[in-house]
Amino acid sequence: MRYLVVGAGFSGAVIARELAEAGHIVTVIDTRDHVAGNAYDYTNEHGIRIHKYGPHLFHTNNKVVYEYLGKFTEWVPYQHRVKAMLTDGRFVTLPVNRKTKEIVGEDNVIDIFFRPYSKKMWGMELEALNPEVINRVPIRDDDNELYFPDDLYQAVPRDGYTTMVQNILDHRGIQVYLNTPYDKRKSLAYDHVFNSMPIDQYFDFKYGYLPYRSIRFETCSLPLPVALPSTTINFTHDGPQTRVTEWKQIPFHGENKYLTTLTFETPCCYTENNFERYYPVKDAEGKNRDVYLKYKHETPENMTFIGRCGLYAYLDMHQAVNSALAIARNFLVNNKVNT
Ligand code: UDP
């Protein structure tokens, strides 16, 4: 059987790999000039590894996913730490823990750490956002200082995400074509299409646009060995930047005795950033989800939508991989495709 996978990010790469390992021929296309989707990373002129589309920190409790990806990379343990910078310049631990509460006062936590940040991040008031979004960042009663305090597996791929995804795609049954946008006529040549393109775009936006937030990244290098008190600093002011990341503080992101590279993030609507879709918007009323479901309902029989833009879901990397493994394995079983 011949399959087309649209998008060479985590979702597409994992599905392509599973199909290829089952003996099928898989074509992977991506509109960008690189694989790894929004996890793409590269090394800058100072020898420092940058995640082009913002910091990607792998964390999960899912052993299966951790071990699956471990076939394609050596994992290096890394526990992410974040500080919030108060408007007077003091740094406090995030997620908010006992000590942070002691410093700012428990009653002020939402207004200091969540209200302004979420407004600039999502372009809407906190109340208009589905609470699941801010619940990603817990408020704790203990002294834990980790950004992902509850996850058993926290690590970075030793040679970067791009190399890991290249390794996933490195199979004789898989052919990858970059700079190749999806074209409906292309799918005719395939038995099934796994499609990570924005689902509303596939249907020519006939039920309306699904909103996304995007980020503008500003990267600069400073003549300092180290600049920040933790890898990432979140800003509590009311804008426009949300956070800054110092890449060198992540293991295997480059050694440079004299310089450090920082990336600042400024959220915006995706239409203001070259239609770069990063975050599906989970509104409190579920209006966006309803529009998505209308599109989903019309999915052609020979197509499966995958990934953040295909499923319109705020998937973390481990969730994208888990979902992709389930989709591929169910497909192979249910279609009883001969191998
Ligand atoms: N959030 C916040 N203040 C922070 C960090 C997070 O209000 O200092 C909220 C905000 O709405 C954000 C969400 O929690 O979009 C999820 O944060 P996370 O750090 O998980 O976002 P990601 O790393 O995926 O951008």
Side-chain angles (χ1 to χ4, degrees), residues 53-290:
Y53 305 98
H56 281 65
L57 290 318
F58 186 84
H59 61 100
T60 189
N61 275 316
N62 188 328
K63 190 173 184 216
V64 172
V65 166
Y66 180 74
E67 288 180 351
Y68 177 85
L69 292 175
K71 294 192 287 181
F72 306 104
T73 185
E74 186 185 317
W75 284 121
V76 178
Y78 168 68
Q79 294 181 306
H80 191 45
R81 284 167 198 265
V82 177
K83 298 269 178 214
M85 190 183 201
L86 301 176
T87 46
D88 64 7
R90 279 180 299 166
F91 293 105
V92 292
T93 297
L94 205 75
V96 171
N97 65 3
R98 195 186 54 81
K99 201 158 178 205
T100 302
K101 279 192 226 168
E102 226 173 70
I103 294 168
V104 304
E106 187 155 6
D107 293 346
N108 301 320
V109 164
I110 296 292
D111 285 339
I112 292 178
F113 299 103
F114 291 96
R115 197 173 292 286
Y117 189 105
S118 294
K119 176 100 191 258
K120 57 194 165 180
M121 176 64 209
W122 298 101
M124 56 167 77
E125 295 300 333
L126 196 57
E127 287 69 20
L129 200 60
N130 185 314
E132 277 175 30
V133 175
I134 68 163
N135 287 344
R136 288 166 56 90
V137 183
I139 298 173
R140 301 182 67 85
D141 295 322
D142 59 17
D143 293 316
N144 195 302
E145 302 229 318
L146 303 178
Y147 198 63
F148 308 113
D150 304 318
D151 285 327
L152 207 52
Y153 306 99
Q154 304 190 37
V156 291
R158 204 189 84 112
D159 300 316
Y161 289 103
T162 307
T163 303
M164 174 164 68
V165 174
Q166 275 164 351
N167 291 342
I168 299 173
L169 289 165
D170 183 16
H171 187 287
R172 63 192 164 81
I174 301 176
Q175 276 201 311
V176 181
Y177 297 91
L178 300 177
N179 303 302
T180 308
Y182 176 74
D183 171 343
K184 273 188 188 154
R185 283 163 302 182
K186 280 198 187 108
S187 17
L188 300 175
Y190 297 92
D191 296 292
H192 199 89
V193 181
F194 296 87
N195 197 341
S196 74
M197 73 186 284
I199 192 168
D200 55 341
Q201 189 182 341
Y202 176 82
F203 288 108
D204 298 321
F205 308 103
K206 66 178 180 176
Y207 296 126
Y209 292 83
L210 287 169
Y212 285 86
R213 293 298 278 176
S214 194
I215 308 271
R216 285 205 196 90
F217 299 102
E218 277 167 89
T219 296
C220 61
S221 296
L222 299 176
L224 292 170
V226 180
L228 304 179
S230 60
T231 305
T232 296
I233 300 295
N234 285 14
F235 302 119
T236 54
H237 59 51
D238 56 5
Q241 286 87 5
T242 44
R243 60 188 178 191
V244 56
T245 295
E246 179 167 24
W247 301 107
K248 244 168 88 171
Q249 294 201 29
I250 308 173
F252 287 87
H253 277 56
E255 300 292 328
N256 189 319
K257 265 163 71 181
Y258 312 106
L259 276 173
T260 191
T261 302
L262 311 178
T263 299
F264 291 82
E265 299 180 40
T266 303
C268 60
C269 177
Y270 77 104
T271 54
E272 295 159 13
N273 193 31
N274 201 22
F275 293 83
E276 292 272 7
R277 295 165 169 88
Y278 300 156
Y279 295 88
V281 181
K282 232 174 171 176
D283 59 300
E285 287 179 46
K287 282 188 182 157
N288 299 339
R289 172 112 192 125
D290 290 345

Side-chain angles (χ1 to χ4, degrees), residues 326-338:
I327 287 170
R329 289 171 185 176
N330 282 340
F331 179 85
L332 289 168
V333 170
N334 292 336
N335 289 273
K336 296 195 178 56
V337 219
N338 296 322

